[in-house]
Amino acid sequence: MALLLCIALSVQSQYKNGPAEKDFVGYLFTYFKGNDVKDEAICYAISRDGYNYRALNNNQPIIDSKEISATGGVRDPHILRCEDGKTFYMVVTDMTSSKGWDSNRAMTLLKSTDLVNWTASNINIQQKYKGQENLKRVWAPQTIYDAEVGKYMVYWSMQHGAGRDIIYYAYANDDFTDLVGEPKQLFFPKNGGSCIDGDIVNKNGLYHMFYKTEGDGNGIKLAITDNLASGKWIEQPGYKQQTRDAVEGSSLFRLTNSDTYILMYDVYMKGKYQFCESKDLDVFKVVDQEISMDFHPRHGSVIPITRWEMKAITDKWGVPSGFEMPTSKNPIIAGFYADPEILYAEKTGKYYLYPTSDGFDGWGGWYFKTFSSDNLKDWKDEGVILDHKKDLSWADGNAWAPCIIEKKTGKNQYKYYYYFSGGKEGEPKKIGVAVSDEPTGPFKDSGKPLVDFYPKGITGGQQIDPDVFTDPKTGKSYLYWGNGYMAGAELNKDMISLKKNTVKVMTPDNTFREAVYVFYRKGLYYFLWSEDDTRSPNYKVRYATAKSPLGELTIPENNIVIMRDDVRGIYGAGHNSVLQVPETDEWHIVYHRIHRPDGMNMPNGAGGFHREVCMDRMEFAEDGSIIQVIPSL
């Protein structure tokens, strides 16, 4: 238990990357087709529900086996999404059965960041290691992340001479191009018999290995451990396949947003696959009647994928006939993020998103990231740009609600001023500022808070949710902030200090909660804010207008900008920024919502800190009023 706690704490201390479970819209099945050399290659199929699969690329290989193997063929593809969420590892047997079942000595390690382009490294066990002269075969490699050692374990079966098949392991190097250290025996079956085709999954901190026995009651068995490299496995009684036919190549995956697991295996003498369901990984029920495929796979594996990943592979290899692609356009980035700020940078000609890192209990994220895009559709994770625990002296706690502005300082020279909420754990929140020469950072903190006081007459609320705005008429820049009240002030030319004599309380009415955002269009200054609590389904955006950056606010009779849409299951749409596409009158609102599909069902309002970033067009009536935005899926 102490070990598992240490592992959990270690994981919690890391940055979150890649998609959350909410982002998965389907599944990718990697497989090979048969024993002809032309069929010993990696193929792809996709599914929306995990039960019905359609082959990509007309059931033809997505990689030329001759380019990645020594034998000219590969089998048994196993695919894994890495801990960073955006890298994929695949391992395959380097083998063509036309040369005999005892003919291969190698495996191939593959790596990709888009599921389309793969780099490969061939590992010949006999050539790499001493004492392997009588090695007969290297079969069915797989990969799993070993959290205890922080490395990726590659495990596979080998037979030497007349001995039994044994499952071995070694750890991969950091770039997944080679194995480090001598192979060691992973599993020691009590009966001393052969075992192949190991497949390991982690469920509730326990590693479950499904494997095939050979020569002593052939079938799929299960062993469990809490330490991958310990050699101590608890073997479970009985066999897990639900057929009397010969089987091999079992692979397990969990249906997303569900506690149901699918165990699939190759019924190789019958040329078919069988699928079984389980919730406890002990009792399995056949669900073949619910399964459909337009291909005949051999020994493969399945992972869940996002709509962005599904689009990437179908853009490359086409959408299978009759396959229904996901139609949602929101959220625009994968993972849990909130409070989005959007910027078009003149320096780079790109768009940048600056959100709060969400998905932490009690809004406990302590770092900021940015994402870039050329087209407002495809977003690249540019990584962490400011870490409160590492980069600030005056703050180490929650990092909330950033905003940014680009300032031209010379020919092709720019500065980026990044304002954010933070503070020491247990102390009142403050607003800081950090500076960079690039929109992607690194950002250097000014060394002290910019706002650490209540405006005159204000005694409650928080100093959070800054917004920065430069008046196109005068070139002067302003900072706005507040939770429970709204304040504004002019910034000095250094952009890291306020003209305190200009601080003005501007709270529009009692609907104001937080998240002011200011922009200018056709002679009017627009002030947007969020009403209610971010945990509430009724969190929404309202607006007012003014004739100057600190002027008196005029509140329209109907001033809702965006709000919940029960029909679409969209709740808590708020805390926005606004983008004008350069040199156009095209506008977009970027906001967060409580994540779909089950954010509203999370206990104790936890959906309010498991949010996702969305974007929709924002339009204006002829009189300049904002037409209420209908949030989209």
Side-chain angles (χ1 to χ4, degrees):
M1 287 297 295
L3 172 62
L4 293 177
L5 178 60
C6 290
I7 293 172
L9 291 174
S10 174
V11 171
Q12 289 173 4
S13 67
Q14 301 302 308
Y15 300 144
K16 292 184 178 181
N17 296 291
E21 188 157 350
K22 69 180 180 63
D23 299 305
F24 295 129
V25 299
Y27 302 83
L28 173 65
F29 190 167
T30 62
Y31 62 95
F32 78 104
K33 293 189 293 184
N35 295 334
D36 289 341
V37 175
K38 64 180 175 59
D39 292 332
E40 292 174 312
I42 300 167
C43 295
Y44 276 178
I46 52 176
S47 171
R48 289 298 305 276
D49 60 7
Y51 295 93
N52 301 283
Y53 291 86
R54 296 295 177 266
L56 289 184
N57 198 32
N58 295 314
N59 200 27
Q60 296 304 303
I62 57 97
I63 302 174
D64 185 346
S65 294
K66 294 188 295 295
E67 295 181 359
I68 63 173
S69 71
T71 64
V74 298
R75 303 166 64 96
D76 319 319
H78 177 264
I79 190 168
L80 175 77
R81 184 188 297 272
C82 297
E83 295 297 294
D84 68 3
K86 56 187 178 182
T87 304
F88 301 89
Y89 291 162
M90 185 154 47
V91 287
V92 293
T93 305
D94 178 2
M95 176 182 177
T96 174
S97 60
S98 63
K99 298 178 181 179
W101 296 109
D102 297 333
S103 64
N104 84 305
R105 308 290 185 268
M107 68 180 77
T108 300
L109 278 57
L110 299 104
K111 181 178 179 179
S112 176
T113 57
D114 59 9
L115 295 174
V116 174
N117 302 289
W118 292 88
T119 58
S121 303
N122 191 258
I123 312 297
N124 187 300
I125 300 297
Q126 195 169 58
Q127 294 174 4
K128 179 177 174 62
Y129 297 105
K130 294 180 180 180
Q132 300 287 336
E133 291 80 11
N134 66 343
L135 176 62
K136 291 176 61 178
R137 58 197 187 202
V138 174
W139 280 359
Q142 297 204 176
T143 309
I144 190 169
Y145 182 69
D146 187 341
E148 184 179 356
V149 298
K151 295 180 180 180
Y152 289 90
M153 174 187 284
V154 180
Y155 56 99
W156 68 97
S157 67
M158 292 193 293
Q159 184 187 30
H160 294 80
R164 58 195 171 90
D165 292 279
I166 296 172
I167 298 178
Y168 292 85
Y169 77 93
Y171 291 103
N173 63 359
D174 289 343
D175 58 2
F176 205 70
T177 58
D178 202 355
L179 301 178
V180 178
E182 293 284 331
K184 298 179 181 179
Q185 187 167 347
L186 178 71
F187 178 53
F188 300 81
K190 291 180 180 179
N191 67 2
S194 292
C195 48
I196 63 171
D197 294 354
D199 178 56
I200 304 174
V201 296
N202 187 329
K203 182 179 187 290
N204 299 329
L206 294 176
Y207 297 99
H208 295 65
M209 181 172 69
F210 293 81
Y211 60 96
K212 180 188 176 183
T213 60
E214 293 262 276
D216 181 20
N218 296 350
I220 296 169
K221 301 201 74 173
L222 170 63
I224 301 174
T225 186
D226 63 357
N227 186 321
L228 279 172
S230 68
K232 299 177 181 179
W233 295 80
I234 301 174
E235 297 178 44
Q236 305 300 297
Y239 288 90
K240 298 306 177 184
Q241 78 273 15
Q242 301 297 303
T243 176
R244 294 184 178 181
D245 295 316
V247 299
E248 65 182 13
S250 67
S251 184
L252 191 86
F253 67 95
R254 184 173 60 83
L255 297 175
T256 57
N257 300 299
S258 164
D259 60 356
T260 297
Y261 287 81
I262 299 292
L263 175 66
M264 62 182 195
Y265 41 81
D266 187 352
V267 189
Y268 58 95
M269 298 298 290
K270 294 292 184 69
K272 69 175 185 178
Y273 249 75
Q274 185 163 77
F275 279 54
C276 303
E277 284 186 355
S278 176
K279 295 185 183 296
D280 60 9
L281 302 189
D282 180 32
V283 177
F284 289 86
K285 179 184 71 171
V286 174
V287 290
D288 285 351
Q289 70 281 1
E290 300 178 41
I291 306 302
S292 69
M293 300 180 190
D294 62 351
F295 57 100
H296 296 286
R298 298 290 312 280
H299 197 149
S301 56
V302 171
I303 59 169
I305 56 174
T306 68
R307 75 168 190 275
W308 302 279
E309 293 158 354
M310 186 171 285
K311 182 178 184 299
I313 57 180
T314 53
D315 282 350
K316 175 68 175 179
W317 291 293
V319 178
S321 176
F323 186 84
E324 184 178 345
M325 289 287 287
T327 57
S328 299
K329 72 172 188 176
N330 279 318
I332 59 173
I333 55 175
F336 293 114
Y337 296 95
D339 314 327
E341 169 83 353
I342 193 164
L343 169 76
Y344 174 78
E346 291 183 1
K347 181 174 183 176
T348 64
K350 292 183 178 182
Y351 302 94
Y352 297 87
L353 271 176
Y354 301 87
T356 296
S357 296
D358 213 23
F360 298 90
D361 288 347
W363 307 282
W366 68 94
Y367 59 87
F368 291 114
K369 302 179 77 171
T370 190
F371 300 80
S372 65
S373 175
D374 295 314
N375 56 16
L376 292 179
K377 295 178 181 178
D378 305 302
W379 293 91
K380 177 185 176 183
D381 185 342
E382 298 284 359
V384 174
I385 58 172
L386 194 69
D387 184 319
H388 279 207
K389 294 182 178 180
K390 295 179 180 178
D391 302 328
L392 273 64
S393 60
W394 57 271
D396 60 9
N398 302 1
W400 293 346
C403 66
I404 194 169
I405 198 164
E406 179 185 61
K407 283 284 188 177
K408 191 170 185 177
T409 57
K411 186 176 181 181
N412 298 322
Q413 293 182 325
Y414 296 83
K415 289 280 188 186
Y416 297 87
Y417 297 90
Y418 185 74
Y419 305 86
F420 54 90
S421 312
K424 293 284 188 180
E425 287 286 358
E427 295 182 0
K429 291 293 181 286
K430 306 173 179 65
I431 293 171
V433 56
V435 187
S436 177
D437 294 327
E438 302 292 337
T440 53
F443 283 85
K444 184 177 180 181
D445 180 51
S446 68
K448 60 181 181 180
L450 173 60
V451 179
D452 58 359
F453 59 89
Y454 281 109
K456 186 177 180 180
I458 299 296
T459 58
Q462 298 186 81
Q463 282 65 251
I464 62 171
D465 294 1
D467 180 54
V468 61
F469 168 74
T470 295
D471 186 354
K473 289 184 175 181
T474 65
K476 294 180 179 179
S477 295
Y478 298 83
L479 190 77
Y480 306 86
W481 71 91
N483 163 280
Y485 67 91
M486 185 178 108
E490 186 180 339
L491 285 158
N492 287 311
K493 289 185 178 180
D494 64 8
M495 299 295 289
I496 62 172
S497 61
L498 291 176
K499 292 183 178 179
K500 287 194 175 181
N501 62 342
T502 66
V503 174
K504 182 179 180 181
V505 175
M506 304 177 64
T507 311
D509 60 20
N510 60 9
T511 67
F512 182 90
R513 178 64 174 263
E514 59 195 9
V516 59
Y517 188 87
V518 181
F519 67 92
Y520 177 84
R521 178 183 182 270
K522 295 185 178 181
L524 279 179
Y525 299 84
Y526 291 79
F527 292 76
L528 281 61
W529 67 89
S530 292
E531 176 186 0
D532 213 329
D533 187 280
T534 190
R535 292 166 291 191
S536 168
N538 294 315
Y539 197 59
K540 63 175 70 75
V541 177
R542 294 184 181 270
Y543 82 101
T545 60
K547 295 183 178 180
S548 66
L550 296 175
E552 297 301 318
L553 299 181
T554 299
I555 302 175
E557 182 177 349
N558 179 13
N559 72 331
I560 294 176
V561 178
I562 192 169
M563 62 180 294
R564 67 191 284 173
D565 188 324
D566 293 32
V567 173
R568 292 180 170 88
I570 296 173
Y571 302 101
H575 200 129
N576 71 283
S577 58
V578 170
L579 171 72
Q580 179 183 14
V581 175
E583 300 179 1
T584 74
D585 195 35
E586 179 181 325
W587 296 78
H588 298 264
I589 182 170
V590 187
Y591 59 96
H592 71 234
R593 69 188 184 197
I594 294 171
H595 84 268
R596 299 179 73 254
D598 61 352
M600 283 303 300
N601 298 323
M602 297 183 76
N604 303 316
F609 41 85
H610 288 82
R611 298 162 292 182
E612 55 192 12
V613 171
C614 302
M615 180 167 62
D616 282 304
R617 285 288 296 269
M618 187 173 75
E619 298 178 323
F620 300 83
E622 290 187 7
D623 63 359
S625 59
I626 297 175
I627 299 172
Q628 184 173 332
V629 177
I630 304 301
S632 65
L633 295 175

